[in-house]
Amino acid sequence: MARQQRTQVGIIGAGPAGLLLARLLKLNGIESVILEDRSRAYVEARIRAGVLEHGTVKLLEEAGVAERLHREGLVHEGVELGLDGGRFRIDLAGLTDKTITVYGQSEVVQDLIAARLAGDGPIVWEASDVALHDFEMDRPRLTYRAGGVDHELACDFIAGCDGFRGASRSSLPASRLRIYEQDYPFGWLGILADVPPCSEELIYASHPRGFALASMRSHTRSRYYIQCDRHEKLEDWPDDRLWDELKRRLGPDVAPRVTTGPALEKSITGLHSFVCLPMRHGRLFLAGDAAHIVPPTGAKGLNLAASDVHYLSRALVSHYARNDSTLLGAYSEQASARVWKAERFSWWLTLLMHKVHPDGSFAEQMQRAEIDYLLSSPAGQTVFAENYVGLPF
Ligand code: RFL
Ligand code: PHB
């Protein structure tokens, strides 16, 4: 016999989407239980995003979890684009009056977990076999196993915040879903190292050998990526080879300022664009990577999780506080309208900056002309800046 519990919102996944949703609900007096299939240590150490849009920072402030972010996060007023070893700065602050903040996703997650465990409500770590039931009816349930015991959680709503490979989306019949997706024939090889960054701002570099990105986590920790074949193996990329290739692609100006060091983490990620609609099925709401994936080039994934959660929390608050379900009905449309714009920007920037076309082809010349145009046109730079700092939500 399963152990019975009840809550208002059952949340699957303790990533940024699930944790931030739980926090915003709690601040409005709405109870939730978070079910997470990994351990706390694993979730807190997972290396992912690093760039927070202006609106994400505001939402984290609203959630009361931005104190360390403001202390340790690096506010950037610009970003650099590189072509043929030359560099060009896009003045984000000057063009949009907004900035981005460099602060690791692992830090955001740690801050949210600390707030949750300080009295907001439970997170069930290492909850296995999470299954969703009856979400098309009035009384949805979640079943799972934790600590060797079967549990059943009755709730009013289920929030599927369990990432791209979670249980929520896969519990929906394919016939109910509209899937839009695109694969790219390349991936990103990432390295994290305790060395000072080579530049004060991020550098996105287009090079005939492939794209490279110089990013950071702090003044003493760097994060770099290079475009690679999506099927390449990490064993084929010892640290020395990776550093050499990175320097070559960043160009002769930047290379001497790259400090190398042992990798704290190294990974290969395939690039993928994916949207699954609708984002609502009865009393189940999908948010974050459970509903959509962007290639990392635009730094949008975590920020889309935040905007989804903004719309969803507002809708749930309106339902509970004012018995008004209009916003719940509008959730999928509102959230996905913003998702599509971020999908477009991420897709565009990916195809603009990566080695995609054969050497000497017409298409390659078109790509170069487009970058050249961007670097010389204030209008083009404004479009870039507006999207990069994040469209309003
Ligand atoms: P997450 O973070 O994947 O969290 C989902 C959580 O659900 C748990 N889970 C389950 N729990 C219970 N039962 C199940 N069956 C479950 N299945 C899964 C998982 O363990 C996990 O804890 O999704 P969420 O919350 O939607 O957040 C999305 C972001 O994590 C993601 O979009 C970003 O990391 C993407 N991303 C970037 N986004 C940015 O905004 N800016 C960036 O600079 C950026 N860089 C990146 C990135 C992602 C990367 N990788 C590795 C994919 C760089 C990289 C390399
Ligand atoms: C990162 O620092 O991990 C990062 C920064 C910018 C991106 C993607 C990832 O576009």
Side-chain angles (χ1 to χ4, degrees):
M1 177 66 181
R3 212 172 274 177
Q4 310 285 321
Q5 287 164 274
R6 196 190 142 73
T7 191
Q8 289 175 299
V9 183
I11 299 177
I12 314 174
L19 290 164
L20 182 55
L21 176 64
R23 176 76 185 157
L24 293 168
L25 294 180
K26 181 66 189 182
L27 292 175
N28 286 281
I30 301 168
E31 300 299 326
S32 63
V33 171
I34 304 178
L35 306 180
E36 165 60 50
D37 73 348
R38 302 288 194 153
S39 67
R40 178 178 179 182
Y42 181 92
V43 167
E44 290 194 332
R46 194 163 39 198
I47 306 295
R48 285 198 174 166
V51 173
L52 305 183
E53 291 175 353
H54 167 84
T56 303
V57 172
K58 291 263 162 279
L59 193 60
L60 291 167
E61 279 169 5
E62 204 181 295
V65 289
E67 192 246 333
R68 189 162 72 100
L69 184 162
H70 284 311
R71 211 163 3 105
E72 297 177 12
L74 307 175
V75 174
H76 284 196
E77 298 192 344
V79 66
E80 292 195 10
L81 299 185
L83 178 66
D84 292 341
R87 274 150 59 224
F88 186 90
R89 180 169 189 269
I90 297 196
D91 180 5
L92 300 173
L95 292 165
T96 66
D97 228 12
K98 297 195 176 85
T99 56
I100 52 153
T101 301
V102 174
Y103 189 65
Q105 179 169 328
S106 42
E107 313 305 312
V108 173
V109 163
Q110 285 164 26
D111 296 344
L112 284 164
I113 290 174
R116 175 79 181 170
L117 298 181
D120 276 8
I123 304 176
V124 182
W125 301 110
E126 298 178 77
S128 62
D129 307 321
V130 172
L132 299 82
H133 311 271
D134 302 336
F135 50 82
E136 299 283 8
M137 295 183 266
D138 275 354
R139 306 227 158 276
R141 289 175 299 124
L142 288 165
T143 53
Y144 62 98
R145 218 175 145 68
V149 179
D150 288 326
H151 295 259
E152 182 175 290
L153 177 66
C155 42
D156 301 332
F157 298 100
I158 298 174
C161 302
D162 46 354
F164 188 56
R165 296 181 201 288
S168 308
R169 197 182 66 252
S170 55
S171 69
L172 294 163
S175 61
R176 300 281 312 276
L177 306 179
R178 298 195 304 280
I179 306 274
Y180 305 86
E181 61 188 320
Q182 171 156 336
D183 262 327
Y184 304 85
F186 39 79
W188 277 18
L189 169 59
I191 184 168
L192 184 74
D194 267 335
V195 292
C198 64
S199 157
E200 289 202 347
E201 295 179 338
L202 271 64
I203 306 174
Y204 290 79
S206 170
H207 188 277
R209 294 175 67 88
F211 169 75
L213 169 60
S215 180
M216 67 197 74
R217 289 291 176 274
S218 67
H219 292 304
T220 56
R221 183 168 285 188
S222 302
R223 179 71 163 157
Y224 292 103
Y225 299 93
I226 55 171
Q227 175 184 355
C228 64
D229 189 280
R230 63 178 298 141
H231 301 298
E232 271 186 81
K233 305 233 171 330
L234 266 184
E235 306 87 85
D236 296 331
W237 284 95
D239 292 4
D240 285 351
R241 179 177 175 213
L242 203 167
W243 287 119
D244 286 349
E245 187 61 31
L246 175 76
K247 286 188 200 171
R248 208 180 295 185
R249 295 188 194 180
L250 288 175
D253 258 18
V254 180
R257 290 193 277 114
V258 173
T259 311
T260 62
L264 297 173
E265 194 258 7
K266 233 166 31 175
S267 56
I268 293 180
T269 315
L271 270 59
H272 197 52
S273 297
F274 175 93
V275 179
C276 169
L277 296 177
M279 290 168 67
R280 174 195 184 171
H281 297 264
R283 288 176 170 258
L284 165 64
F285 294 83
L286 301 178
D289 279 16
H292 41 73
I293 294 285
V294 283
T297 325
K300 292 285 169 242
L302 165 62
N303 294 297
L304 282 180
S307 60
D308 285 357
V309 159
H310 160 77
Y311 294 119
L312 183 53
S313 60
R314 214 179 47 158
L316 287 165
V317 169
S318 165
H319 169 85
Y320 282 110
R322 294 180 286 284
N323 200 20
D324 180 352
S325 297
T326 318
L327 290 177
L328 284 175
Y331 168 70
S332 181
E333 210 170 307
Q334 281 197 330
S336 63
R338 187 168 191 281
V339 167
W340 278 122
K341 294 185 195 96
E343 288 281 349
R344 187 207 67 78
F345 178 68
S346 305
W347 162 84
W348 169 78
L349 192 60
T350 299
L351 295 179
L352 185 72
M353 299 303 289
H354 287 72
K355 171 73 186 158
V356 196
H357 307 294
D359 285 344
S361 62
F362 181 80
E364 186 191 43
Q365 291 305 319
M366 292 299 94
Q367 185 186 22
R368 292 178 63 86
E370 188 167 359
I371 301 177
D372 211 13
Y373 168 71
L374 181 63
L375 302 191
S376 63
S377 157
Q381 288 157 31
T382 304
V383 172
F384 176 98
E386 186 176 48
N387 282 277
Y388 194 78
V389 299
L391 298 174
F393 57 85

